[in-house]
């Protein structure tokens, strides 16, 4: 029996680095997907093959710390599945292929984890819900891979809908579709992959999360996203104050963007996207020269707004453009990279797509 599942990457429209502070986020699933094909094999081990990285053999019972490189995302999903369901994973051949660029801030890791988990669920007959799979994928990322992520990526990968963003209240995990009808408004959202790769497990991501936790503790709050701007005066440490200032203002921006999209005013969200980038670059210090170049070039070319998306330190930016101007904006950002002596970015229009699914659905 062959089981095939695919799962999308994602773009976070707004709400960056606040999912682990209890704040709301607004991602959408991309029309770029990771596909996983499972087949039973006589040997007891797991043979995992990637179109980009080759083949490795894994134990059917991998343990945290025992697998490195790209295969740890597959191994983490296997480990978390077995731990959550109590089901032993049989010997399998697992083939992974993907159009989601790795390290681009578009959640290639969650796409792999969710596609593997969906395929394992079907193969083993465990009847997990989509939310179950998202929760197990978060455990894989946190406890096996070692990235202290929030739940945003895995939830939108599993629950994304066509032409919609997904408002996620990360504290309660309540989700709600928000219309993202950019075409109807004559708009295009460009993704600019800087091709500068980052590794969120290298400590910088955890440092930001730790700073937010310390700021919340100083303010006597369970969740830093509950803070007000006035309360930030109680943070004597200027670093913690800057980190917290990003969180508080980003929470407001998410609510404002949701309100505009619901009222059919998608054109008006551009200034909020740009404000988000300035906050991420200044208060949160997670941008990079390449991301700043992408944002500045698109704005200079007439984009309505632009910002980095994802964990930062490289990866991708997004730019909201009037559709007739999108090709010129893309050309201008490529020219700006060349003028700055940077490698060429990859630029394409993003479409809000459906979440993970079996091949037959």
């Amino acid at each position: 029996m062959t089981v095939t599942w695919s799962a999308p990457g994602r773009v976070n429209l707004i709400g960056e680095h606040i999912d682990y502070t209890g704040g709301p986020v607004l991602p959408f699933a991309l029309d770029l997907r990771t596909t996983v094909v499972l087949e039973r094999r006589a040997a007891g081990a797991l043979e995992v093959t990637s179109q980009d990285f080759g083949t490795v053999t894994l134990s059917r019972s991998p343990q945290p710390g025992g697998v490195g490189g790209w295969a740890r995302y597959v191994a983490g999903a296997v480990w978390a599945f077995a731990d959550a369901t109590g089901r032993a994973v049989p010997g399998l051949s697992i083939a992974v292929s993907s159009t989601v660029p790795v390290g681009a801030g578009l959640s290639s890791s969650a796409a792999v984890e969710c596609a593997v988990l969906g395929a394992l669920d079907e193969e083993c007959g465990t009847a997990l819900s989509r939310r179950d799979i998202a929760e197990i994928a978060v455990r894989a990322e946190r406890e096996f891979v070692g990235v202290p992520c929030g739940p945003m990526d895995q939830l939108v990968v599993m629950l994304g809908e066509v032409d919609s963003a997904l408002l996620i209240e990360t504290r309660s995990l309540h989700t709600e579709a928000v219309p993202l009808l950019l075409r109807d408004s004559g708009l295009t959202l460009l993704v600019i992959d800087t091709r500068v790769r980052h590794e969120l497990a290298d400590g910088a991501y955890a440092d930001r999360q730790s700073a937010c936790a310390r700021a919340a503790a100083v303010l006597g709050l369970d969740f830093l996203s509950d803070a007000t701007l006035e309360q930030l005066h109680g943070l004597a440490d200027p670093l913690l104050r800057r980190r917290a200032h990003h969180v508080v203002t980003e929470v407001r921006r998410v609510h404002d963007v949701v309100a505009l999209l619901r009222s059919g005013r998608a054109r008006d969200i551009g200034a909020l996207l740009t404000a988000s980038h300035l906050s991420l670059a200044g208060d949160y210090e997670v941008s990079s020269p390449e991301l700043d170049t992408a944002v500045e070039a698109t704005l200079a070319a007439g984009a309505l707004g632009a910002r980095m998306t994802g964990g930062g330190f490289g990866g991708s930016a997004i730019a909201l453009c009037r559709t007739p101007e999108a090709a010129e904006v893309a050309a201008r950002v490529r020219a700006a990279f060349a003028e700055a002596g940077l490698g060429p970015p990859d630029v394409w229009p993003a479409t809000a797509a459906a979440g993970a699914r079996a091949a037959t659905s």
Side-chain angles (χ1 to χ4, degrees):
M1 175 181 173
T2 299
V3 174
T4 303
W5 264 68
S6 73
R10 67 96 186 91
V11 161
N12 189 21
L13 186 63
I14 199 161
E16 213 67 76
H17 278 281
I18 60 172
D19 58 336
Y20 51 76
T21 72
V25 293
L26 191 65
F28 63 89
L30 274 173
D31 56 347
L32 302 176
R33 304 186 75 85
T34 294
T35 300
V36 167
V37 179
L38 298 189
E39 290 187 279
R40 293 256 185 167
R41 58 194 304 264
L46 303 175
E47 184 179 81
V48 184
T49 301
S50 163
Q51 64 178 11
D52 297 315
F53 303 112
T55 300
V56 297
T57 300
L58 303 174
S59 163
R60 288 188 296 123
S61 302
Q63 296 301 310
V67 181
W70 67 272
R72 70 191 189 277
Y73 297 105
V74 177
V78 170
W79 169 82
F81 175 84
D83 189 68
T85 64
R87 298 288 294 271
V89 175
L92 294 169
S93 170
I94 305 176
V96 181
S97 59
S98 186
T99 58
V100 185
V102 175
L106 303 176
S107 203
S108 59
S109 60
V112 171
E113 292 155 355
C114 290
V116 170
L117 285 165
L120 286 172
D121 175 55
E122 183 175 338
E123 172 68 26
C124 297
T126 42
L128 297 170
S129 71
R130 289 182 169 270
R131 285 180 173 270
D132 290 338
I133 290 174
E135 181 179 338
I136 295 168
V138 170
R139 283 199 62 204
E141 187 94 6
R142 288 176 177 169
E143 299 176 32
F144 197 98
V145 178
V147 176
C149 65
M152 172 180 69
D153 293 354
Q154 292 80 4
L155 279 170
V156 73
V157 166
M158 293 307 303
L159 303 178
E161 298 180 16
V162 173
D163 289 335
S164 296
L166 188 70
L167 176 62
I168 304 172
E169 300 291 350
T170 59
R171 205 173 308 177
S172 65
L173 300 187
H174 173 76
T175 59
E176 187 174 345
V178 176
L180 190 62
L181 303 173
L182 299 182
R183 289 188 301 275
D184 294 352
S185 299
L187 300 173
T188 295
L189 189 74
L190 294 177
V191 175
I192 303 107
D193 178 4
T194 68
R195 296 185 176 177
V196 175
R197 296 306 179 232
H198 65 300
E199 175 56 69
L200 292 184
D202 67 359
Y205 187 96
D207 287 346
R208 299 312 188 275
Q209 188 177 45
S210 174
C212 289
R214 296 200 308 273
V218 171
L219 297 174
L221 299 172
D222 291 331
F223 298 98
L224 185 57
S225 58
D226 284 338
T228 64
L229 287 174
E230 292 74 21
Q231 285 177 300
L232 301 190
H233 297 301
L235 294 171
D237 184 332
L239 176 65
L240 296 188
R241 197 182 312 121
R242 291 199 306 273
R243 301 295 188 253
H245 187 268
H246 167 70
V247 171
V248 172
T249 56
E250 189 79 346
V251 168
R252 290 186 178 183
R253 286 186 285 270
V254 173
H255 290 308
D256 289 345
V257 167
V258 168
L260 289 168
L261 290 175
R262 285 176 171 161
S263 62
R265 297 171 57 195
R267 286 175 178 259
D268 294 333
I269 72 172
L272 294 163
L273 301 183
T274 303
S276 174
H277 182 78
L278 295 175
S279 180
L280 287 158
D283 285 338
Y284 225 66
E285 299 179 286
V286 292
S287 189
S288 70
E290 295 83 4
L291 290 167
D292 291 341
T293 296
V295 168
E296 292 162 7
T298 55
L299 293 175
L304 301 175
R307 74 176 197 90
M308 58 157 278
T309 187
F313 310 105
S316 298
I318 55 175
L320 183 69
C321 313
R322 300 173 187 87
T323 296
E325 299 170 3
E328 176 60 23
V329 171
R332 289 280 295 275
V333 75
R334 293 187 185 100
F337 270 59
E339 290 166 8
L342 303 173
D346 195 9
V347 187
W348 72 91
T351 300
R357 59 179 182 258
T360 55
S361 63

